[in-house]
Amino acid sequence: MAKSKKNNSQIMRIGFDMDGVLIDHTGAKILVAEKFGIALAPEQTPSDVMRKMIPRDILHEIQWLLYDDKKYALRSPIMRGARPALKEIIAKDIPIFLISRRKNQAVAVELLQKHGLWPVFFDEKNTFFVDEPEDKNSRAIELGITHYLDDEHRVLEKLTNVPNRFLFDKHRIYPDTDLYRRVFSWQEFLSDVII
């Protein structure tokens, strides 16, 4: 079960997912889906939801445009509140890590650079690209991650060795669960974990 308040006796090491946590793809997903004749509402854009709604072959094409085609891949804005929250976490000397399942690492880094996140907050030393959700758990173990923020509940289910798991639920679509704590904004995450 995700703990909600910080434990002062515990040394925090916080991990973040990139897409849907640091980067807001809501608008880009709506735009790209329209190219395939699919109308999405903002609350239908989380990956877990799209996976259930869109045929796999079309979903793969949408994902390629979103994450590999620079025409679309570099359009998505930084998630509201992410930069000030990261500044506050860094100011408290809490180590941070980015663990992403992005296949095209070069485009991911370029997007982070565009938004001033690379190398200010993330660089080669604290950024890791993995293949599967289980790989995020393995990396989290190696890094000693105590808190992890992701936007996919199926990923958080695999992070069995991370004691404090948080679901970034910007669109407020997921139910509460004992597995993780839902947060709706970066400010809420900060309030719950840091402040």
Side-chain angles (χ1 to χ4, degrees), residues 8-68:
N8 291 329
S9 65
Q10 177 178 326
I11 297 172
M12 276 194 245
R13 297 174 69 82
I14 304 176
F16 302 105
D17 180 36
M18 179 175 166
D19 300 300
V21 173
L22 294 169
I23 304 296
D24 186 356
H25 294 293
T26 302
K29 285 181 175 181
I30 291 169
L31 179 69
V32 172
E34 284 175 0
K35 293 176 68 61
F36 296 89
I38 300 169
L40 293 177
E43 60 274 9
Q44 294 173 312
T45 60
S47 297
D48 286 328
V49 176
M50 287 180 65
R51 197 172 289 109
K52 293 175 185 171
M53 293 179 52
I54 299 174
R56 182 177 287 189
D57 58 332
I58 295 174
L59 184 61
H60 285 306
E61 289 185 56
I62 289 172
Q63 290 171 329
W64 185 87
L65 289 170
L66 284 171
Y67 305 130
D68 294 282

